[in-house]
Amino acid sequence: MRTIPTWVDKVHDRDKIEQCIYDLCFCPDGSQLIVAAGNRVLVYDTNDGTLLQPLKGHKEAVYCVSYSKDGKRFASGSADKSVIIWTSKLEGILKYSHNDPIQCLAYNPVSHQLASCALSDFGLWSPEQKSVQKHKSSSRIYCCSWTNDGQYLALGLADGTVSIRNKSGEVKMRIDRGGTNSPIRSLAWNPSKEEAYDILCVADWGQNLSFYSMNGKLIGKERPLGFDPCCVSYFSKGEYLLVSGANRSCGLYTKEGVRLALVCEQASWVWCCEAHPDSSYVAVGSQDGTIAYFQLVFATVHGLYKERYAYRENMTDVIIQHLITEQKVRIKCRDLVKKVAIYKHRLAVQLPERVIVYELYSQDAADMHYRVRDKINQKLECNLLVVCTNHIVLCQEKRLQCLNFTGLKEREWQLDSMIRYIKVVGGPPSKEGLLLGLKNGQVLKIFLDNAFPVHLLTVSSAIRCLDLNSSRHRLAVVDDNNDLLVYSLPDADLQYSEKGANSVVWNTSCDAMLCYSGNSTFNIKADNFPAHEQKLQGFVVGFCGSKIFCLHVISMSTVEVPQSAPMYQYLDKNKCNEAYNIACLGVTDGDWRALGRAALHSHNYNIARKCFTRTKDMKSLQLLQIIEERGQAGSGDPTLAEADILAHEGRFSEAAKLYRKAGQDSLAMNMYTDLRMFDMAQEYLGADGTMDKQQLIKKKADWARNINEPRAAAEMYMSAGETAKAIEIMAENGWVEMLVDVGRKADKADHQTLSLCAQHLRQLKARTYATELYRKMGELQSVVELFVEDEDWDEAFAWAEKYPQFKELVYVPYATSLAEKDEFLLAQKAFHKAGKPGEAFRVLEQLTHNAVTENRFSDAGYYFWMLSLQCLEHLQPSGKKSFGSEGNEEGKIQSREPSAEVVQRPDVDRKFEEARELEKFYDYQRRASMYYVYHTIQRSGNHGNSGNYGNSDNPGNSGNPGNSDNPGNSDNPGNSDNPGNSDNPGNSDNPGNSDNPGNSGNPGNSDNPGNSGNPGNSGNLGNSGNLGNSGNPGNSGNPGNSGNPGNSGNSGNFGNCHQDEPFTSYMPEALFNISRFLTHELAVIQPPGISKFSTMYTLAKQARNLEAFKLARHVLDKLLHLHIPERFQEDVELAALKIRSKPFQDNEEHQPLCYRCSTTNPLVNASAGNQCINCGHPFVYSFVSFEVLPVVQFVVATGISDEEAVRLIQQAGGDAAQKADKKEDEGGEEQGEEDVWRAPEEGEDNQLNLEDDTMTSDDPFTANLSALYPGSEMSPVTLNRSALKAQDPQDIIVCRWPKPLRFQYYKNLMPDVPITHCVHCNKLFHTDDFILQVLQKGHCPYCRTPAPHITDTSE
């Protein structure tokens, strides 16, 4: 650092007596200097030291001055105990006083509040207030300073303490300096905004400098000064500190208190010092009246190696900057940095007492982390410092010393002249080479392991700068005459020279290119070409690729310079390879294209490819590939290649001439036709008579099409024979008439033209014309496809009947369209007609899945029933009418035709297939029944009322019975017109069934006294489940419920346990039977969607209502072990608790009776389910009320077919059978065991004679009952031919199933109880329940068969 005096003034009074300068300050813009000199305030111009005006107002010596940060006013304080406020126009505006002389002043940097400190107190004044707030001090005040934010004021006291006050003058903190009682002469807060907290610098007359934080904590350590300080002052940004005092000098210190340099020395004490606000100027005031103004010049200490630049900052820090990535790293040395050197991964920093060597953590080129490698603890003197891999080199005048990192001197060179420039030029570790430029003009090269310098050359004047290119074959030298001299090595021949240079560097990426600076410009020169000049301030110190590193004053900048000028210089000389090397340093895309074109014309295809690849010029690359392929094929005519290049560049006339010169007129014609220059193309067409004129017409047509003249283009294509393109244009523009005309004119054999026309007419919706052309072609399948696309199903069906091979083509789209319209049953039928039984089955399965997912359980039951029939139909031979499909064709369930593969399977596979289908049939039947009954539970109530224990407001029986329970009635299009049971033999010939009053639905049977002892009629089986008679007290059989449909649950009802609808038309007995049936079924299988909780909850509720307390308790206990919905948890637990207050028994009235063995069954049969616990006979339920029907199932003896059994039953019973037996006996025919049954005579007991005089029995249905016991295997009732003949047909119910299933036979043991049998689903019903359901819904409640086709008239 150097100090340059700017101006000096000495202040005297009138008597020429020196006036002490106690204080001074700058105005905020630095243009004026305010000085306290004697009893006056002097105002100086800082530019030249001119005294602008002396201000008089004080009577005694002025001790302090201070300027506000806004620049509007300043203040002065004097020994006359007064403070005067002055404006920036040097006018006094206010004066106030203290009781003691004023010691110091300080303006708040934010609020501009003035703090004035006397010996014993201090005052706070601001322009907004009239009075001055004064506060006492415990000790004499010498100095004061505000924090940067203006919140706190620090006072330096004579007792060695610091008092921190807030803006109101109140004490915030007191800094006791560890027992030190030396008076504090000066203090100052660091103005830097980069510090994390406020730092207070304190200088006391104990000759110490210390730093404190706001909370009084000492920062760092106290630094001894060796003199009594009078003033401390920070630079405006806080980077440096000025300290002056009794040592008669002013010193520059770091912000941590480390002494850096001497600013000035004076003849007497320096009482005050201040740094200029915006520049490196310092003003000082002395005891002898001297005012001096100095400029501080900070020398640049730096080093450069390739893209890494190291320089000194704030005198004590070293910054390493990566000039490419702009990364920076700071090393804090905390001492004055004298020299910096950098080389590869080494960094050397010279401090006053030592040299520190740093190294990179890694060898990564982008790594910026340095660590200390070695320290040389020696005080070394040098002019230049160089660092190598393992050594440092010190240059002092003519001497050069090499030291290792331990400080040991290994070698020394004494030269003839002073060293002006030194640079490391690389080499192996410990053998690096140094390039030296001497004052006498010599250029030497020294190796660290060689004691003898190598002389390279000598120039006429002193060396200023030099550099060696990367190949070490050229040396550039700048001398004191500002001449640039470039020599070749090792012969030292001068190649060229330039004037006006002050620095030079070679490009590290290109041997032949250098850059030199001078006269505020920099010049780039390649080889012997003229230099390219640009404006730039500073010195060029590095050149890497296209980046130039320029040092201006103390800042390093990176300039990106395109290397276009030297590249074009090489191109002018047709040096494509050298131009390419220059371009790789950095040029624009336009320069790359120019280089590629030049290389193409020079037939340097390798360089051209690289250029076009970089610019992604695909067309030029394609041209290049064509030219190279032509050359590889042996026809690489340079003239033809040049013509292609000219055509590619748009120089068509020249290209055409070269094409003709090469004998390729056709290429010229193609070029002109592609350019739509048809007149020029015609010239080249006429020159070659062999050319095909059709090609030119096609080109014209293409052009007409591209310029949006489609009609002309179509006509030209037709004339040129390009019919397909003409048809395409007609189709694009929708010209139906033209397409039809082309199609009609085309020959039948021209299949392609006809097909194209028909296809486009089809797309244009002109299907009539398309049909005409398809018929002309004989494409019948396409005709059918047209009808299908138009959804003209009548025509499509007609064609399918006429041509059976198109059935699948018609019916599959038809079925798909029906499925999309939710007409799935019709879609299923269509799939069958299309020969796609698998698709039909999948449609039905999807329907079933959707119904379950959507909680449409009635539909789910119906679809499962249909699926079960599909399983049976799959086993039927082709063409046989399926079960359940009698009647109108719309109501048929189409069978899945067994494929040829199934028919041709071996017997074992067929049996396995049959067993699997039967298993699926029974499973689907069971699921259908379960979903059918669960629909009632799900739809007949609402769980929302379950919280009302004992609710007697069940309105479920007051609504319209039946209508709300048919969600799917309107969706069954297949059963609407079923005409009847035309194929059922045996039902049409029974004249007695139509007049049977027992089956007519007469409700009067409930009063029949003959049935009162029959346990099956105790609850009036005909009416107890009647959905519409809940208001008739005479029919309910339950006095507790008579006449009051709302009280069906009595006071013990613990909530409506059902699901979706708040009302139900079902009597409690029906709900009880339904839930009990489903509970038993759920023990076998748990279908998805069926809630076990809902079912058992319903059963528990109805069991409580019907006084089946034992069952209710059992079910509630089971419920407690299930996952109960949270909203029902409390209700179920409460019901389970209250049910224990009821008797542990069930009402016997509701216990089911087995009509096979007359055993009364418990309400829950956990082991057997829905069958008798004694004989194992399955209960037969009425599929509305689910009461047990008084029927017993029997089977026919072995050897009797179902058809024969039906025929025997339909014959006259009783006497007719006996007579037939007698006739057979008289005929002498031997009777078998199965034919010896005899009907009893009148008055005789009923007997079953299986052999004459060997076995008698009252009735075949009661025979062997004595052998039945609980748990025994059920033995079904078996009837032989005689027994079949003896049965009354009115009492027999035959459920006909298709093969391979056998018929099912039931006998009604209570003929007075009318039972209806649905011949479609083979379900049995109480006649009254069935009739009511049919009247309400119009179809069978289970299978949804329409009313006219439901039952067999014989039943």
Side-chain angles (χ1 to χ4, degrees):
M1 186 194 77
R2 293 183 297 117
T3 302
I4 303 175
T6 303
W7 54 265
V8 178
D9 189 22
K10 197 157 188 175
V11 181
H12 300 84
D13 61 3
R14 294 179 180 177
D15 300 329
K16 302 297 181 179
I17 300 174
E18 297 175 348
Q19 301 294 310
C20 179
I21 309 300
Y22 285 107
D23 199 9
L24 52 78
C25 66
F26 287 95
C27 68
D29 62 3
S31 61
Q32 294 177 357
L33 179 66
I34 311 299
V35 179
N39 60 358
R40 295 180 299 168
V41 176
L42 306 180
V43 181
Y44 287 90
D45 186 342
T46 57
N47 291 326
D48 53 10
T50 303
L51 178 62
L52 298 178
Q53 184 175 341
L55 301 178
K56 300 178 181 179
H58 293 287
K59 297 177 181 179
E60 296 185 28
V62 180
Y63 287 155
C64 51
V65 290
S66 179
Y67 221 116
S68 66
K69 294 295 182 182
D70 60 0
K72 294 181 179 180
R73 60 185 66 86
F74 63 91
S76 60
S78 172
D80 63 4
K81 306 176 185 179
S82 64
V83 176
I84 299 178
I85 310 299
W86 309 85
T87 66
S88 59
K89 296 180 180 180
L90 309 181
E91 298 173 349
I93 58 173
L94 179 66
K95 183 176 183 179
Y96 67 88
S97 62
H98 283 261
N99 296 327
D100 298 303
I102 308 301
Q103 299 297 310
C104 57
L105 298 171
Y107 266 104
N108 190 308
V110 177
S111 64
H112 313 300
Q113 186 181 28
L114 176 64
S116 56
C117 302
L119 290 176
S120 59
D121 65 356
F122 69 95
L124 298 175
W125 173 85
S126 63
E128 293 81 12
Q129 64 188 35
K130 297 180 181 180
S131 61
V132 178
Q133 300 178 6
K134 295 182 180 179
H135 304 272
K136 289 291 184 179
S137 173
S138 60
S139 180
R140 177 175 294 189
I141 303 174
Y142 281 144
C143 50
C144 64
S145 178
W146 288 97
T147 57
N148 294 331
D149 57 5
Q151 297 295 319
Y152 300 102
L153 174 69
L155 303 177
L157 307 180
D159 61 2
T161 61
V162 178
S163 177
I164 308 294
R165 306 292 183 110
N166 59 19
K167 292 190 295 184
S168 300
E170 300 170 350
V171 177
K172 177 188 182 294
M173 182 71 190
R174 183 180 180 88
I175 300 176
D176 188 354
R177 302 172 57 243
T180 302
N181 56 5
S182 301
I184 297 176
R185 186 59 195 173
S186 181
L187 55 75
W189 293 98
N190 190 334
S192 174
K193 297 180 180 179
E194 297 178 358
E195 300 294 339
Y197 49 85
D198 291 321
I199 298 175
L200 179 65
C201 176
V202 177
D204 61 44
W205 275 9
Q207 300 186 357
N208 292 316
L209 191 67
S210 54
F211 299 88
Y212 295 90
S213 62
M214 178 66 74
N215 57 12
K217 182 179 179 181
L218 179 65
I219 299 174
K221 61 181 180 179
E222 287 190 349
R223 298 186 180 272
L225 294 175
F227 61 91
D228 292 329
C230 294
C231 179
V232 292
S233 176
Y234 278 99
F235 274 52
S236 59
K237 295 181 181 180
E239 66 270 32
Y240 300 117
L241 183 66
L242 294 173
V243 181
S244 63
N247 64 342
R248 302 180 182 183
S249 65
C250 177
L252 182 69
Y253 291 74
T254 67
K255 59 185 178 181
E256 290 88 7
V258 178
R259 180 178 173 85
L260 297 176
L262 180 66
V263 175
C264 68
E265 288 184 333
Q266 299 294 323
S268 61
W269 284 26
V270 179
W271 279 96
C272 53
C273 57
E274 186 81 12
H276 191 279
D278 297 323
S279 60
S280 55
Y281 287 89
V282 172
V284 297
S286 305
Q287 175 76 32
D288 60 1
T290 301
I291 304 171
Y293 193 62
F294 299 95
Q295 180 184 8
L296 304 184
V297 178
F298 295 95
T300 302
V301 177
H302 62 137
L304 177 70
Y305 178 76
K306 292 187 177 179
E307 69 278 356
R308 291 180 185 266
Y309 176 59
Y311 61 94
R312 181 180 68 180
E313 186 176 74
N314 295 340
M315 305 292 285
T316 60
D317 296 345
V318 175
I319 305 295
I320 300 94
Q321 178 182 0
H322 197 288
L323 298 175
I324 303 298
T325 63
E326 295 298 328
Q327 290 179 286
K328 288 184 178 181
V329 62
R330 178 186 296 270
I331 299 176
K332 292 187 176 183
C333 299
R334 304 187 186 279
D335 204 347
L336 176 63
V337 175
K338 300 179 69 175
K339 296 287 186 297
V340 174
I342 188 170
Y343 174 72
K344 292 186 178 179
H345 56 287
R346 296 283 190 264
L347 172 69
V349 179
Q350 182 186 9
L351 303 177
E353 303 295 333
R354 63 190 180 277
V355 176
I356 303 177
V357 180
Y358 298 87
E359 67 177 356
L360 286 172
Y361 272 85
S362 68
Q363 300 297 325
D364 185 7
D367 185 29
M368 295 292 289
H369 297 83
Y370 284 85
R371 62 186 175 188
V372 176
R373 185 184 188 279
D374 288 291
K375 292 183 180 180
I376 303 175
N377 294 314
Q378 298 179 22
K379 185 176 181 180
L380 303 173
E381 295 294 335
C382 63
N383 301 117
L384 299 172
L385 175 67
V386 174
V387 64
C388 298
T389 306
N390 298 318
H391 298 82
I392 62 171
V393 178
L394 305 177
C395 178
Q396 182 69 20
E397 299 295 337
K398 300 179 181 181
R399 185 177 60 194
L400 207 61
Q401 294 179 332
C402 176
L403 284 71
N404 60 25
F405 289 160
T406 63
L408 179 64
K409 182 172 69 173
E410 293 185 354
R411 190 163 283 104
E412 181 176 327
W413 297 269
Q414 189 71 31
L415 305 178
D416 298 335
S417 178
M418 187 176 68
I419 301 171
R420 294 286 301 274
Y421 192 87
I422 184 171
K423 184 174 184 178
V424 184
V425 293
S430 301
K431 298 181 181 180
E432 289 88 353
L434 303 179
L435 198 63
L436 305 179
L438 306 185
K439 189 175 181 179
N440 61 4
Q442 288 185 344
V443 178
L444 305 177
K445 192 171 185 182
I446 291 179
F447 295 95
L448 297 185
D449 61 340
N450 193 337
F452 300 99
V454 178
H455 181 270
L456 297 180
L457 55 90
T458 302
V459 297
S460 59
S461 61
I463 303 296
R464 175 179 292 184
C465 180
L466 53 81
D467 194 18
L468 190 66
N469 71 352
S470 56
S471 64
R472 305 176 189 273
H473 293 154
R474 290 185 180 182
L475 178 66
V477 178
V478 176
D479 59 19
D480 276 352
N481 298 325
N482 294 335
D483 292 334
L484 168 64
L485 306 172
V486 178
Y487 295 89
S488 64
L489 296 179
D491 51 10
D493 290 339
L494 179 64
Q495 293 191 342
Y496 58 86
S497 63
E498 297 287 344
K499 296 289 186 180
N502 55 25
S503 65
V504 64
V505 289
W506 288 98
N507 195 315
T508 58
S509 301
C510 181
D511 282 346
M513 182 181 294
L514 59 77
C515 178
Y516 64 92
S517 60
N519 300 325
S520 298
T521 63
F522 71 91
N523 301 265
I524 298 175
K525 184 174 179 63
D527 278 337
N528 292 319
F529 296 117
H532 175 67
E533 182 179 294
Q534 291 190 26
K535 291 291 184 182
L536 183 67
Q537 295 290 333
F539 298 88
V540 58
V541 295
F543 192 8
C544 181
S546 61
K547 292 180 171 59
I548 294 176
F549 307 135
C550 180
L551 178 65
H552 180 55
V553 189
I554 60 172
S555 65
M556 180 72 75
S557 60
T558 302
V559 181
E560 184 80 25
V561 180
Q563 303 299 317
S564 305
M567 185 200 76
Y568 285 109
Q569 289 172 339
Y570 280 110
L571 283 182
D572 292 341
K573 299 295 183 179
N574 201 22
K575 295 182 178 181
C576 293
N577 291 326
E578 291 80 356
Y580 176 77
N581 293 332
I582 296 297
C584 289
L585 301 180
V587 295
T588 64
D589 287 344
D591 297 333
W592 279 109
R593 286 191 288 270
L595 176 58
R597 289 193 295 269
L600 200 59
H601 283 288
S602 300
H603 304 293
N604 193 336
Y605 300 136
N606 186 32
I607 297 297
R609 182 183 295 102
K610 291 178 181 179
C611 296
F612 294 140
T613 302
R614 184 180 289 267
T615 59
K616 298 180 181 179
D617 188 348
M618 300 306 298
K619 293 183 178 179
S620 297
L621 288 172
Q622 291 174 356
L623 172 65
L624 189 59
Q625 183 178 3
I626 293 172
I627 294 174
E628 289 182 334
E629 289 177 353
R630 188 186 299 150
Q632 293 172 359
S635 57
D637 187 352
T639 304
L640 191 58
E642 186 65 23
D644 289 338
I645 295 170
L646 292 174
H648 177 72
E649 294 177 351
R651 298 156 65 180
F652 305 114
S653 177
E654 299 174 41
K657 293 178 181 178
L658 289 179
Y659 280 133
R660 173 162 287 180
K661 181 179 179 181
Q664 297 288 340
D665 285 2
S666 60
L667 295 179
M669 189 202 73
N670 290 335
M671 179 185 70
Y672 281 124
T673 53
D674 289 341
L675 295 170
R676 308 294 185 261
M677 301 168 68
F678 297 107
D679 295 336
M680 298 297 297
Q682 192 74 27
E683 294 180 6
Y684 286 89
L685 180 64
D688 187 358
T690 63
M691 295 297 295
D692 187 6
K693 295 183 180 181
Q694 293 291 98
Q695 184 178 359
L696 186 58
I697 298 175
K698 293 177 186 177
K699 295 286 185 179
K700 287 184 178 181
D702 291 337
W703 173 71
R705 184 176 184 178
N706 291 333
I707 64 172
N708 202 20
E709 291 289 341
R711 189 173 294 275
E715 293 173 354
M716 282 189 241
Y717 278 130
M718 290 296 294
S719 63
E722 293 287 338
T723 308
K725 290 186 177 180
I727 293 173
E728 183 181 353
I729 293 175
M730 297 172 189
E732 289 176 356
N733 293 273
W735 295 333
V736 175
E737 296 82 359
M738 294 182 70
L739 285 171
V740 173
D741 184 60
V742 172
R744 287 174 176 172
K745 291 180 180 179
D747 189 80
K748 286 185 178 182
D750 191 358
H751 188 276
Q752 181 180 2
T753 301
L754 290 173
S755 178
L756 283 174
C757 291
Q759 181 179 354
H760 289 300
L761 288 170
R762 184 175 180 177
Q763 294 174 353
L764 294 172
K765 308 298 182 184
R767 307 197 190 278
T768 303
Y769 296 120
T771 303
E772 175 187 342
L773 296 184
Y774 279 131
R775 287 182 174 177
K776 182 177 180 179
M777 296 163 53
E779 290 283 345
L780 300 181
Q781 179 176 341
S782 299
V783 175
V784 175
E785 289 175 352
L786 281 174
F787 289 131
V788 171
E789 288 179 6
D790 283 343
E791 295 188 356
D792 187 354
W793 300 117
D794 294 336
E795 285 290 335
F797 294 154
W799 278 75
E801 291 297 328
K802 187 175 180 181
Y803 302 100
Q805 66 269 26
F806 299 139
K807 274 191 174 183
E808 180 177 350
L809 190 65
V810 173
Y811 283 103
V812 170
Y814 177 59
T816 304
S817 67
L818 290 174
E820 291 173 353
K821 298 175 183 176
D822 293 340
E823 298 180 3
F824 294 101
L825 297 178
L826 293 179
Q828 188 194 34
K829 172 184 173 182
F831 276 125
H832 275 292
K833 287 187 177 181
K836 299 284 185 181
E839 292 292 333
F841 194 75
R842 278 191 288 275
V843 168
L844 194 53
E845 283 182 330
Q846 187 62 44
L847 274 175
T848 308
H849 173 74
N850 293 345
V852 172
T853 304
E854 298 168 7
N855 294 340
R856 294 185 290 107
F857 297 112
S858 178
D859 292 344
Y862 173 64
Y863 295 142
F864 267 117
W865 174 74
M866 295 180 68
L867 281 172
S868 68
L869 298 188
Q870 292 279 291
C871 295
L872 286 182
E873 291 161 6
H874 183 59
L875 300 175
Q876 302 303 309
S878 178
K880 184 172 182 179
K881 198 161 200 175
S882 62
F883 167 74
S885 61
E886 296 86 350
N888 194 317
E889 287 296 320
E890 291 295 329
K892 292 173 67 176
I893 305 297
Q894 298 297 327
S895 65
R896 292 186 293 167
E897 301 288 346
S899 64
E901 179 184 357
V902 175
V903 174
Q904 296 173 4
R905 285 177 180 172
D907 292 341
V908 175
D909 292 344
R910 190 177 298 113
K911 289 180 180 179
F912 175 77
E913 180 72 20
E914 180 178 313
R916 189 176 66 177
E917 292 293 332
L918 286 177
E919 182 181 357
K920 291 170 63 176
F921 164 76
Y922 289 122
D923 179 65
Y924 289 155
Q925 283 277 320
R926 181 185 293 272
R927 291 175 185 266
S929 300
M930 294 177 74
Y931 283 113
Y932 168 76
V933 298
Y934 185 67
H935 167 76
T936 303
I937 294 175
Q938 180 72 9
R939 296 289 180 177
S940 61
N942 192 338
H943 270 299
N945 297 332
S946 62
N948 185 3
Y949 185 86
N951 180 14
S952 61
D953 299 330
N954 183 0
N957 297 335
S958 61
N960 183 2
N963 292 342
S964 64
D965 297 327
N966 184 12
N969 185 23
S970 63
D971 296 331
N972 186 0
N975 294 336
S976 59
D977 299 320
N978 190 343
N981 300 329
S982 59
D983 293 334
N984 185 355
N987 291 341
S988 60
D989 298 330
N990 187 351
N993 289 344
S994 60
D995 298 327
N996 185 353
N999 294 336
S1000 62
N1002 183 359
N1005 290 343
S1006 61
D1007 298 329
N1008 187 346
N1011 293 337
S1012 61
N1014 189 336
N1017 284 341
S1018 61
N1020 188 352
L1021 299 179
N1023 293 335
S1024 64
N1026 189 341
L1027 302 183
N1029 294 336
S1030 61
N1032 184 352
N1035 292 341
S1036 66
N1038 185 354
N1041 293 337
S1042 62
N1044 186 0
N1047 292 333
S1048 61
N1050 66 45
S1051 62
N1053 182 8
F1054 53 86
N1056 294 336
C1057 61
H1058 316 298
Q1059 289 289 313
D1060 292 340
E1061 297 178 0
F1063 302 101
T1064 178
S1065 58
Y1066 283 84
M1067 294 292 289
E1069 292 86 350
L1071 289 174
F1072 175 75
N1073 293 331
I1074 288 171
S1075 58
R1076 196 171 64 84
F1077 168 81
L1078 185 56
T1079 300
H1080 285 141
E1081 290 295 309
L1082 287 174
V1084 180
I1085 185 174
Q1086 178 74 46
I1090 296 180
S1091 171
K1092 194 171 185 179
F1093 167 77
S1094 299
T1095 304
M1096 297 180 71
Y1097 194 39
T1098 304
L1099 178 59
K1101 177 228 174 183
Q1102 300 304 332
R1104 170 100 185 204
N1105 293 342
L1106 299 177
E1107 298 180 354
F1109 301 124
K1110 181 178 179 181
L1111 173 62
R1113 181 183 295 189
H1114 172 76
V1115 174
L1116 287 171
D1117 289 343
K1118 293 286 187 183
L1119 275 176
L1120 292 176
H1121 293 84
L1122 297 179
H1123 177 70
I1124 304 174
E1126 184 177 354
R1127 59 192 178 118
F1128 298 116
Q1129 184 75 37
E1130 183 179 353
D1131 300 321
V1132 173
E1133 293 175 353
L1134 184 61
L1137 183 63
K1138 289 190 175 184
I1139 197 65
R1140 297 185 180 278
S1141 65
K1142 304 298 181 181
F1144 190 64
Q1145 62 184 15
D1146 291 333
N1147 189 343
E1148 295 182 358
E1149 178 184 354
H1150 304 295
Q1151 293 181 344
L1153 175 69
C1154 175
Y1155 291 92
R1156 169 78 168 86
C1157 64
S1158 299
T1159 300
T1160 300
N1161 282 256
L1163 291 175
V1164 175
N1165 185 357
S1167 60
N1170 290 311
Q1171 64 185 31
C1172 178
I1173 62 172
N1174 183 44
C1175 63
H1177 184 273
F1179 295 122
V1180 181
Y1181 294 96
S1182 169
F1183 262 68
V1184 175
S1185 64
F1186 275 82
E1187 294 183 358
V1188 178
L1189 294 175
V1191 298
V1192 175
Q1193 183 177 0
F1194 64 89
V1195 297
V1196 299
T1198 304
I1200 303 176
S1201 66
D1202 288 329
E1203 291 77 9
E1204 181 184 359
V1206 172
R1207 188 176 66 254
L1208 292 172
I1209 293 172
Q1210 290 175 347
Q1211 292 177 2
D1215 294 338
Q1218 187 177 14
K1219 291 177 182 179
D1221 290 342
K1222 288 181 179 180
K1223 285 184 179 181
E1224 290 176 355
D1225 291 340
E1226 291 173 358
E1229 295 181 0
E1230 188 175 323
Q1231 302 295 322
E1233 182 177 331
E1234 61 181 3
D1235 295 327
V1236 296
W1237 184 84
R1238 179 178 61 83
E1241 296 291 339
E1242 185 175 348
E1244 293 181 350
D1245 292 336
N1246 290 333
Q1247 295 180 353
L1248 176 63
N1249 296 327
L1250 297 180
E1251 293 186 9
D1252 287 340
D1253 301 328
T1254 61
M1255 183 180 296
T1256 61
S1257 178
D1258 295 337
D1259 188 349
F1261 292 94
T1262 59
N1264 298 326
L1265 286 183
S1266 60
L1268 296 177
Y1269 57 88
S1272 63
E1273 184 178 355
M1274 186 198 78
S1275 177
V1277 178
T1278 304
L1279 300 185
N1280 56 22
R1281 289 185 177 88
S1282 300
L1284 291 172
K1285 292 178 183 178
Q1287 301 303 315
D1288 185 353
Q1290 300 290 339
D1291 299 338
I1292 303 302
I1293 300 172
V1294 181
C1295 297
R1296 295 171 173 83
W1297 295 100
K1299 299 295 183 182
L1301 298 180
R1302 296 295 301 271
F1303 290 1
Q1304 289 179 314
Y1305 304 91
Y1306 299 94
K1307 181 175 181 180
N1308 186 354
L1309 300 183
M1310 300 177 64
D1312 291 337
V1313 178
I1315 297 174
T1316 298
H1317 166 226
C1318 176
V1319 299
H1320 288 270
C1321 59
N1322 281 332
K1323 298 299 180 186
L1324 306 183
F1325 307 86
H1326 279 302
T1327 300
D1328 291 346
D1329 295 347
F1330 186 79
I1331 291 174
L1332 182 59
Q1333 289 287 313
V1334 171
L1335 290 176
Q1336 290 174 348
K1337 302 178 181 179
H1339 56 70
C1340 171
Y1342 186 82
C1343 66
R1344 303 185 183 181
T1345 304
H1349 317 297
I1350 297 177
T1351 61
D1352 192 338
T1353 55
S1354 64
E1355 301 172 4

